Amino acid sequence: MKRIGMLTSGGDCQSLNATMRGVVKGLNVLEGTVEIYGFIDGYKGLIYGNYKRLTSKDFSGILTTGGTILGTSRQPFKLMRTPDENGLDKVEAMKSTYRYLDLDCLVVLGGNGSQKTANLLREEGLNIVSLPKTIDNDLWGTDMTFGFQSAVDIATQTIDCIHTTAASHNRVFIVELMGHKVGWVTLHAGIAGGADIILIPEIPYDLKHVISAIQRRNEQGKHFTILAVAEGAISKEDAKLTKKQYKAKLAKRKHSTVSYELASQIEKATGLEVRVTIPGHTQRGGSPVPFDRVISSRLGVAAAELIAKEDYGKMLIMKGYDVATLPLEKTAGKLKYVSPDDQIVLQAKHLGISFGD
């Protein structure tokens, strides 16, 4: 009988529970009797031995439930080798908990930082199977992460709602969406919601081009403009700064986010009223959309298949609409960025969408 540990780490998303359910249901079919130990609040639970024994009943009825029944926390990878305030060696503590429970495998559901820690534990000799969780869709090696489509759906609904009020006013509307380093959510939601301008971190914008796009719409008799802006969007001027210089500039910035800074700049240049909407963490919440429920179930079962074969050290990925695997060491620590030359970007431009470049 196999003993399996499971944890959810980093930011939550809508499809974590659906994925864990897929793992457990798959194990029950493939292995029969298994013991499942859930670690509370991600790697924190593994470090401090905070866990609970789970049964199949715990995973019943959670397919459509957002969040995570295990809880989660952010444990920065860069601090994993740094002892805690009491001098505890975190890596040794995680290994000790794993061995104390006599686990056959640890299943990790997480994003980029979580995958790096998962790979660290693999290097330390633990059996690991990981699953690609993030609303940002930025894990290198997989075409899709679970949680992404659900976040895009909420972001798109926000833009849709802005459209109905935008049609009644001669204003510029900015919808700021999640994405510090990558712009997949903003790109997809911007296209789906019919945004006129999309600004993402990977394509630094020129304020003059943004203003020109707004003025061009006004000249065409279109009396409102909608901008979908990633929270990590950056101007061409700022993109030339070093990280240290840019961080210092942000510390002195008058406005709380890039969207409010843009709003001020656009109002000053055009005389138009600008309104900002930030859906924030609503993009992580609610029930997973059907697409996420399907790929989460499939990825979860595929993880169970790896465990049944004792094929460890892998992350499950989506290649097109097929499930595949990738060695953890090949994906951990790498981000999947939007390229300015990506087909989807070029096609968005042919729709008349401006990227401010």
Side-chain angles (χ1 to χ4, degrees):
M1 180 177 64
K2 285 188 169 64
R3 299 162 66 91
I4 309 300
M6 190 178 297
L7 63 82
T8 56
S9 175
D12 68 320
C13 74
Q14 297 90 337
S15 214
L16 282 163
N17 287 325
T19 309
M20 289 190 286
R21 170 184 177 271
V23 175
V24 174
K25 289 180 76 71
L27 285 171
N28 286 337
V29 170
L30 295 168
E31 288 287 316
T33 303
V34 292
E35 289 185 4
I36 305 294
Y37 295 87
F39 293 100
I40 308 304
D41 296 335
Y43 286 115
K44 187 176 181 179
L46 185 61
I47 293 169
Y48 297 105
N50 188 9
Y51 60 86
K52 58 182 176 181
R53 172 84 182 275
L54 302 168
T55 69
S56 295
K57 290 183 179 179
D58 292 299
F59 298 93
S60 179
I62 64 172
L63 176 64
T64 61
T65 304
T68 164
I69 61 172
L70 294 180
T72 185
S73 65
R74 295 186 185 276
Q75 301 294 316
F77 173 75
K78 63 182 179 181
L79 297 179
M80 278 299 178
R81 291 288 188 184
T82 303
D84 72 2
E85 61 274 14
N86 296 314
L88 179 70
D89 185 318
K90 298 169 192 170
V91 176
E92 288 301 318
M94 289 189 285
K95 290 161 60 177
S96 177
T97 301
Y98 180 99
R99 290 164 181 158
Y100 173 76
L101 291 173
D102 194 24
L103 297 180
D104 292 285
C105 175
L106 175 68
V107 178
V108 175
L109 295 82
N112 183 258
S114 303
Q115 299 299 338
K116 287 193 284 188
T117 298
N119 186 53
L120 182 155
L121 293 175
R122 179 198 65 80
E123 293 173 339
E124 291 289 326
L126 306 191
N127 294 330
I128 305 292
V129 170
S130 73
L131 289 148
K133 177 277 310 175
T134 170
I135 68 166
D136 295 313
N137 198 35
D138 63 352
L139 283 178
W140 187 89
T142 183
D143 292 337
M144 190 67 61
T145 59
F146 63 84
F148 172 66
Q149 290 293 343
S150 298
V152 169
D153 188 66
I154 292 169
T156 303
Q157 288 179 39
T158 302
I159 298 173
D160 288 346
C161 289
I162 291 299
H163 257 288
T164 63
T165 186
S168 304
H169 296 277
N170 297 332
R171 291 175 179 161
V172 176
F173 291 82
I174 299 176
V175 180
E176 183 179 300
L177 302 172
M178 283 188 164
H180 278 293
K181 296 181 179 179
V182 299
W184 291 110
V185 171
T186 302
L187 176 59
H188 281 247
I191 294 172
D196 307 297
I197 299 170
I198 296 174
L199 304 181
I200 59 176
E202 298 93 330
I203 305 178
Y205 65 87
D206 186 324
L207 181 62
K208 292 180 181 178
H209 291 169
V210 173
I211 290 170
S212 293
I214 295 169
Q215 292 173 332
R216 187 163 54 248
R217 283 182 55 80
N218 284 341
E219 291 166 1
Q220 294 170 347
K222 300 172 182 177
H223 300 302
F224 69 89
T225 301
I226 295 177
L227 290 79
V229 178
E231 59 188 329
I234 188 170
S235 69
K236 287 187 175 181
E237 178 186 16
D238 288 343
K240 295 176 182 178
L241 301 175
T242 65
K243 288 184 178 180
K244 185 176 181 180
Q245 290 171 329
Y246 184 54
K247 187 175 181 180
K249 184 174 180 179
L250 288 181
K252 296 178 181 179
R253 187 167 64 184
K254 177 182 176 182
H255 304 282
S256 57
T257 73
V258 63
S259 292
Y260 282 103
E261 182 176 52
L262 272 168
S264 175
Q265 292 169 332
I266 292 170
E267 284 185 338
K268 184 177 180 180
T270 66
L272 296 170
E273 290 184 79
V274 184
R275 296 290 183 269
V276 177
T277 297
I278 304 178
H281 283 78
T282 62
Q283 292 163 88
R284 294 189 181 279
S287 182
V289 297
F291 182 90
D292 269 339
R293 298 179 201 177
V294 172
I295 68 166
S296 290
S297 298
R298 293 179 62 199
L299 287 165
V301 169
E305 292 167 352
L306 287 184
I307 294 168
K309 293 185 294 185
E310 299 184 356
D311 186 6
Y312 304 122
K314 306 284 182 63
M315 182 176 83
L316 278 302
I317 61 172
M318 297 298 299
K319 279 297 179 185
Y321 201 57
D322 292 328
V323 177
T325 63
L326 195 64
L328 257 174
E329 64 267 25
K330 288 189 176 182
T331 183
K334 299 179 183 178
L335 286 178
K336 179 182 70 178
Y337 295 99
V338 178
S339 168
D341 297 323
D342 280 345
Q343 187 182 71
I344 187 173
V345 174
L346 300 177
Q347 290 169 339
K349 288 183 175 180
H350 291 160
L351 285 170
I353 298 172
S354 171
F355 285 78
D357 59 338

